[in-house]
Amino acid sequence: MGATCADVITYRQLADEVVLLDIKEGFAEGKALDIYQTSSLLGFKTRITGTTADYSKTANSDVVVITSGLPRKPGMTREELIGTNANIVKGVTENVLKHSPKAIIMVVSNPMDTMTYLTLKTSGLPKNQIIGMGGILDSARFKGYLGLALNAPTADIHATVIGGHGDTTMIPLTRLATLNGVPVSHFLAAEKLKEISDATMVGGATLTKLLGTSAWYAPGAAVALLVESIVRDQKRVMPCCVALDGEYGQKDICMGVPVVIGKNGWEKIIDYKLIADEQSIFNKSADAVRSMNDVLATLN
């Protein structure tokens, strides 16, 4: 997934330089060389290099994307990854900050909400510089399923997923989903919308079952979209995992909510004015995320 993200960032020329880093000898170098050799075919000028565990090569990065960690296997939940991936993400964060102390850090490693919270607590960075990427991907899947059901271009569909980035914690906001401004409920029955919502929530697990590992094309493109809004200061509203301090009724937690994304990272949380049922589900999602965060204390 990290390589796909780098590939999209590179050919869309979102950065002057992209550096891939991996602990497997020669792997990042090989991926970077392969991507670079498409430059004459795709017409980009971005410099891309790879390195084996040499964080000095990443010095002075404006944006860092952490995809490190074990991938999901069939039947494995994101939560089951927490013990191993917490140590990996913490180590990566510490090494990154030695060379890029002002970087905006994006966390993709699973369980994403907990890894984002861990990064926030251990990095010492301002909260706006720590962003978890999950809701953008989940929303893309939500739009995809809606597009198939409506037989409509996904570009004409506006739909958002908030809450935790988990099979049981994400919240597709069906009430607010529209097709060119018209609520999708005008076109689809409640039963079909429930089916789409359920499919969205297990979208990652569905692909893991089919592929034997986590997806990479859509997640990579989702991260690249987030990077673009930062480096081009687009001020796009995107559902991202960020630190909450009373917003949506929650504190001391990182969860997916709509935020404005620009050159400073996440700049503002947008209040979608959830109705009572939605807020209740959001609160239950928060409880589940907190239970995973509590595991971090047992790892010290």
Side-chain angles (χ1 to χ4, degrees):
M1 198 280 277
T4 300
C5 173
D7 184 40
V8 177
I9 290 171
T10 301
Y11 76 68
R12 293 187 64 178
Q13 302 187 88
L14 302 181
D16 295 324
E17 181 179 5
V18 175
V19 178
L20 293 176
L21 184 146
D22 202 287
I23 60 172
K24 183 178 179 181
E25 185 71 35
F27 192 72
E29 291 89 338
K31 288 285 187 178
L33 183 59
D34 191 18
I35 293 171
Y36 171 72
Q37 289 173 351
T38 70
S39 60
S40 64
L41 305 171
L42 300 177
F44 63 80
K45 299 179 181 178
T46 306
R47 179 185 177 190
I48 180 166
T49 58
T51 181
T52 302
D54 183 358
Y55 283 86
S56 67
K57 299 291 180 63
T58 70
N60 302 314
S61 293
D62 294 313
V63 178
V64 173
V65 180
I66 301 178
T67 62
S68 306
L70 297 180
R72 291 174 74 185
K73 301 296 183 182
M76 179 184 288
T77 66
R78 293 179 176 92
E79 292 78 6
E80 289 172 329
L81 296 175
I82 187 170
T84 300
N85 285 356
N87 290 326
I88 294 173
V89 170
K90 185 177 180 180
V92 170
T93 301
E94 291 171 348
N95 282 307
V96 162
L97 293 177
K98 289 177 183 177
H99 302 282
S100 304
K102 297 181 179 180
I104 294 171
I105 298 181
M106 296 180 193
V107 181
V108 187
S109 307
N110 280 315
M112 187 275 299
D113 304 285
T114 296
M115 294 300 102
T116 302
Y117 183 78
L118 173 66
T119 303
L120 174 69
K121 293 298 183 181
T122 59
S123 68
L125 291 174
K127 63 182 181 179
N128 66 290
Q129 290 177 225
I130 306 296
I131 305 171
M133 196 298 294
I136 300 172
L137 170 62
D138 299 330
S139 298
R141 288 171 172 162
F142 189 23
K143 295 173 189 177
Y145 287 122
L146 285 170
L148 291 174
L150 293 165
N151 193 27
T154 54
D156 290 345
I157 297 171
H158 294 273
T160 303
V161 176
I162 62 172
H165 180 57
D167 300 346
T168 60
T169 57
M170 68 180 72
I171 306 165
L173 291 176
T174 302
R175 177 178 64 90
L176 300 180
T178 62
L179 174 63
N180 277 335
V182 180
V184 295
S185 58
H186 286 204
F187 309 104
L188 300 173
E191 294 79 7
K192 185 61 178 180
L193 291 174
K194 177 65 164 55
E195 177 185 319
I196 290 170
S197 178
D198 291 345
T200 298
M201 294 178 70
V202 297
T206 297
L207 286 162
T208 300
K209 182 178 180 180
L210 292 169
L211 298 170
T213 187
S214 296
W216 56 89
Y217 295 123
V223 177
L225 189 69
L226 182 54
V227 170
E228 182 176 25
S229 193
I230 291 173
V231 300
R232 294 182 176 169
D233 196 25
Q234 292 180 328
K235 311 293 188 186
R236 295 192 63 172
V237 176
M238 299 177 167
C240 297
C241 179
V242 300
L244 301 181
D245 187 21
E247 299 90 352
Y248 286 84
Q250 300 295 330
K251 289 186 176 183
D252 191 30
I253 194 170
C254 293
M255 286 182 67
V257 294
V259 293
V260 176
I261 300 291
K263 64 181 180 181
N264 298 313
W266 68 270
E267 300 180 358
K268 180 182 179 182
I269 294 175
I270 304 298
D271 186 356
Y272 272 8
K273 306 294 184 183
L274 301 182
I275 60 176
D277 286 350
E278 293 165 344
Q279 185 63 55
S280 176
I281 297 172
F282 190 89
N283 293 342
K284 291 178 181 178
S285 178
D287 290 341
V289 171
R290 279 199 178 85
S291 70
M292 287 189 288
N293 293 350
D294 289 343
V295 177
L296 294 174
T298 69
L299 303 176
N300 295 332

